């Protein structure tokens, strides 16, 4: 197999037979009277109920739940998320929801289309509601005939009548003035299902992946004179080389990270990385590459080898004396002259 074919082109979670790239979604939903949440992949695939309301008519209990959305560009072209809400024939009907992935959408943000069906509502989400055939028809009707929802006067935070003030856990992620109770039409008194649908692409950015593994914060270092040009053999997906190591130039600490309100914790606080300069190594071919991580996909071209990093321990000794801080380590490190070796 060539080096190019062995190069990791897209960093996704791998299983034995498929590539899975999913973005976790956190949701807060309540509806008077009840609701289910449906994920529809589109392209003729069967919609899946990802959550059923657990509180029946007790809409004062805001329900929080999570599910995943495939973030591949192909999937996001047809994928949608829908809240199917119950009408009970009374005048006080409404639904309020927040969905948070790479982006946050909510009722009043302009991302939901609403559809009032003619399918009679019955039962509760836990014991009844629309059957599989009805769900398929409701989603199809919503995608084909969805309109801007009717937004009830006043904001959720402002205490819309008759529901009063509601405390949504994700409320800090929305524009409070725009966060509204919604219904499929200003006619609130129909005992049918109303459907509120948003495109998955409004919640998830194409290609953003969440790879498992440690995060590191790296620091330039000074001193480090103990190593005297260690020769090693290195092999990776770009090839192999006989390399001569120089001084340590980076120290990387295991680090926690908060990104889009998601916490990535330290997995092993004792495992650090120390990266050494390469004094000698063989030449590397350049390739056009696609990388992907929690920030964004990108296209790059690899350059020559720079450093070699090894798992290391770290022990704190006496601090540097005040007034004598370490000299800032330049972004572009002054490197020893590289003397290419014969390609192995």
């Amino acid at each position: 197999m060539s080096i190019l074919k062995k190069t990791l082109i897209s960093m996704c979670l791998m299983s034995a037979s498929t590539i899975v790239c999913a973005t976790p979604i956190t949701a807060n939903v309540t509806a008077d009277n009840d609701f289910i949440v449906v994920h529809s992949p589109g392209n003729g695939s069967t919609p899946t109920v990802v959550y059923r309301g657990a509180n029946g008519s007790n809409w004062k209990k805001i329900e929080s739940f999570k599910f995943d959305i495939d973030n591949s560009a192909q999937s996001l072209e047809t994928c949608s998320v829908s809240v199917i809400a119950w009408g009970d024939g009374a005048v006080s009907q409404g639904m309020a929801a927040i969905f948070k992935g790479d982006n946050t959408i909510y009722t009043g943000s302009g991302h939901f289309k609403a559809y009032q069906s003619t399918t009679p509502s019955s039962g509760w989400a836990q014991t009844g509601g629309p059957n599989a055939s009805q769900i398929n028809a409701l989603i199809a009707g919503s995608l084909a005939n969805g309109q801007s929802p009717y937004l009830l006067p006043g904001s959720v935070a402002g205490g819309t009548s008759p529901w009063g003030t509601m405390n949504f856990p994700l409320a800090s992620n929305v524009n409070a003035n725009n966060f509204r109770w919604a219904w499929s039409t200003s006619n609130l008194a129909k005992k049918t299902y109303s459907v509120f649908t948003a495109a998955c692409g409004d919640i998830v950015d194409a290609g953003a992946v969440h790879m498992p593994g440690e995060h590191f914060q790296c620091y330039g270092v000074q001193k480090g004179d103990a190593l005297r040009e260690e020769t090693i053999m290195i092999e990776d997906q770009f090839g192999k080389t006989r390399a001569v190591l120089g001084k340590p130039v980076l120290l990387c600490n295991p680090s926690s990270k908060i990104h889009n309100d998601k916490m990535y914790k330290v997995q092993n606080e004792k495992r650090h990385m120390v990266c050494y300069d390469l004094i000698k190594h063989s030449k590397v071919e350049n390739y056009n590459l696609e990388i992907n991580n929690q920030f964004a996909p990108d296209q790059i071209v690899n350059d020559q080898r720079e450093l070699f990093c090894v798992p290391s321990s770290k022990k704190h000794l006496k601090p540097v004396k005040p007034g004598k801080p370490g000299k800032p380590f330049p972004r572009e490190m002054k490197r020893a002259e590289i003397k290419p070796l014969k390609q192995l």
Side-chain angles (χ1 to χ4, degrees):
M1 181 181 293
S2 69
I3 295 174
L4 181 58
K5 290 183 179 179
K6 291 167 64 178
T7 301
L8 182 59
I9 300 299
S10 182
M11 297 169 59
C12 298
L13 302 180
M14 302 289 290
S15 69
S17 60
T18 186
I19 298 177
V20 180
C21 302
T23 297
I25 308 300
T26 303
N28 294 163
V29 181
T30 189
D32 182 2
N33 267 1
D34 207 350
F35 71 94
I36 61 175
V37 176
V38 179
H39 170 230
S40 178
N43 285 332
S45 300
T46 302
T48 301
V49 176
V50 296
Y51 186 80
R52 288 183 173 273
N55 296 317
S57 60
N58 191 357
W59 39 261
K60 291 184 179 181
K61 291 187 176 181
I62 298 163
E63 304 194 38
S64 299
F65 53 95
K66 295 182 178 181
F67 60 99
D68 291 337
I69 290 179
D70 181 349
N71 62 23
S72 65
Q74 181 178 7
S75 174
L76 293 179
E77 287 181 1
T78 56
C79 169
S80 63
V81 174
S82 300
V83 179
I84 299 177
W86 274 243
D88 65 356
V91 294
S92 56
Q93 303 298 296
M95 188 277 292
I98 304 172
F99 288 84
K100 183 179 184 304
D102 297 313
N103 308 301
T104 301
I105 67 171
Y106 50 94
T107 46
S109 65
H111 294 94
F112 286 97
K113 296 294 185 182
Y115 168 67
Q116 187 179 57
S117 75
T118 58
T119 306
S121 56
S122 61
W124 298 106
Q126 292 293 307
T127 58
N131 58 36
S133 177
Q134 290 173 324
I135 288 174
N136 290 342
L138 289 169
I139 299 302
S142 174
L143 293 173
N145 303 299
Q147 303 292 325
S148 295
Y150 170 70
L151 300 177
L152 281 81
S155 65
V156 172
T160 302
S161 177
W163 301 285
T165 302
M166 307 287 285
N167 183 22
F168 280 70
L170 293 174
S172 61
N173 295 276
V174 309
N175 183 322
N177 293 327
N178 292 340
F179 184 28
R180 307 275 289 277
W181 284 88
W183 201 243
S184 57
T185 173
S186 58
N187 182 355
L188 307 178
K190 287 192 174 183
K191 194 175 181 180
T192 59
Y193 296 114
S194 288
V195 187
F196 304 86
T197 298
C200 292
D202 290 347
I203 316 172
V204 174
D205 293 335
V209 301
H210 299 265
M211 288 291 294
E214 196 76 85
H215 294 71
F216 289 91
Q217 172 69 56
C218 296
Y219 299 82
V221 303
Q222 298 181 47
K223 300 175 62 174
D225 299 323
L227 186 64
R228 301 300 181 188
E229 296 193 359
E230 190 79 14
T231 300
I232 60 174
M233 294 295 298
I234 305 172
E235 183 174 4
D236 62 15
Q237 293 166 334
F238 294 133
K240 57 184 178 180
T241 186
R242 180 185 297 109
V244 178
L245 300 184
K247 294 182 178 182
V249 292
L250 286 179
L251 168 67
C252 301
N253 292 335
S255 308
S256 64
K257 182 187 72 176
I258 298 177
H259 180 220
N260 289 333
D261 294 329
K262 180 177 176 59
M263 168 65 82
Y264 299 84
K265 297 181 179 180
V266 171
Q267 299 181 20
N268 186 339
E269 63 180 10
K270 295 182 179 180
R271 182 177 57 216
H272 298 68
M273 300 290 287
V274 173
C275 300
Y276 293 84
D277 198 3
L278 293 178
I279 297 175
K280 295 180 181 180
H281 63 86
S282 56
K283 188 177 179 180
V284 178
E285 292 187 36
N286 303 115
Y287 299 103
N288 291 306
L289 305 170
E290 180 178 298
I291 59 171
N292 206 342
N293 53 39
Q294 295 156 354
F295 300 126
D298 205 349
Q299 293 186 359
I300 62 172
V301 176
N302 66 289
D303 206 337
Q304 298 305 301
R305 296 180 179 89
E306 295 284 342
L307 306 172
F308 187 74
C309 304
V310 295
S312 307
S313 65
K314 184 187 74 176
K315 180 179 180 181
H316 284 256
L317 304 176
K318 62 181 180 180
V320 176
K321 292 182 180 180
K324 294 184 179 180
K327 183 186 298 182
F329 199 79
R331 182 175 178 83
E332 296 296 333
M333 295 174 295
K334 183 178 180 181
R335 309 186 52 75
E337 181 181 357
I338 297 175
K339 300 178 181 179
L341 302 179
K342 183 179 178 181
Q343 181 71 44
L344 300 177

